[in-house]
Amino acid sequence: EAIKVEGNTGIVTHVQKPIWVGYHSAQYTSATSAWGTIGINTTRWEVGSNWDTSNYYYTVPISGMYQITMNVEMTHVNGQSWIYLMPRIDNSDSTTSSAGIPFVDFSPKTYTGSGASAYFAYHRIDVCRLTAGNKIRFQSRLSGSNFQIGSGTQNSYSIQWLDVS
């Protein structure tokens, strides 16, 4: 609902645009062959109350176009054949793809220095069409060794309604 009429007053107001920005306060270790959900347990700010801090998903309040971003610092990046690190809709590959979110895997370059592990910055921006009630989770899946995502200010995730249907 993009506009709201205040009772019988005839006053019409524009509903605030839903936005959520969060991060996980502890280090995240990736899942391997199955999809794993990143435990984003801290909200930096939110317009609305759509983030479930126990189950780590955002419930879409208004149908329309959304921008979803991920900015993470990965460590222990070595020995992966491929990695998917992305927002997924309703735990469904077909729903995610239909919403316009591409499945793009990547394989960081192997690092042979001290500790045989590298830092890797991963940034992703998706613009997609979502339906009210969809649940967005930030998830990973890979082939090979696990990697880790740093905690606190080393990662950021956001979801913003673009006010376009």
Side-chain angles (χ1 to χ4, degrees), residues 28-38 70 74 82-88 137-142 147 149:
Y28 167 77
T29 300
S30 66
T32 52
S33 60
W35 286 105
T37 299
I38 299 170
M70 300 176 69
M74 300 166 67
W82 50 263
I83 298 172
Y84 286 107
L85 184 58
M86 60 186 289
R88 286 186 68 235
R137 291 171 177 84
F138 293 91
Q139 298 184 315
S140 70
R141 182 178 175 199
L142 63 93
F147 64 85
I149 295 175

Side-chain angles (χ1 to χ4, degrees), residues 82-108:
W82 50 263
I83 298 172
Y84 286 107
L85 184 58
M86 60 186 289
R88 286 186 68 235
I89 314 304
D90 296 337
N91 277 329
S92 166
D93 290 347
S94 61
T95 302
T96 300
S97 181
S98 295
I101 298 175
F103 283 77
V104 180
D105 62 332
F106 62 96
S107 179

Side-chain angles (χ1 to χ4, degrees), residues 9-73:
T9 65
I11 297 173
V12 178
T13 58
H14 185 80
V15 175
Q16 290 182 319
K17 290 183 183 181
I19 184 172
W20 169 84
V21 178
Y23 63 94
H24 50 95
S25 61
Q27 192 171 53
Y28 167 77
T29 300
S30 66
T32 52
S33 60
W35 286 105
T37 299
I38 299 170
I40 302 168
N41 59 2
T42 305
T43 295
R44 282 198 174 107
W45 66 81
E46 180 173 16
V47 174
S49 54
N50 304 301
W51 184 256
D52 184 321
T53 56
S54 299
N55 297 300
Y56 314 121
Y57 63 78
Y58 181 87
T59 302
V60 174
I62 300 170
S63 295
M65 300 298 290
Y66 284 77
Q67 177 175 290
I68 303 173
T69 64
M70 300 176 69
N71 295 292
V72 300
E73 179 184 273

Side-chain angles (χ1 to χ4, degrees), residues 92-134:
S92 166
D93 290 347
S94 61
T95 302
T96 300
S97 181
S98 295
I101 298 175
F103 283 77
V104 180
D105 62 332
F106 62 96
S107 179
K109 183 177 180 178
T110 299
Y111 177 72
T112 58
S114 174
S117 179
Y119 285 92
F120 184 80
Y122 181 77
H123 309 282
R124 182 177 179 134
I125 300 171
D126 291 290
V127 175
C128 54
R129 183 176 302 280
L130 301 173
T131 303
N134 283 150

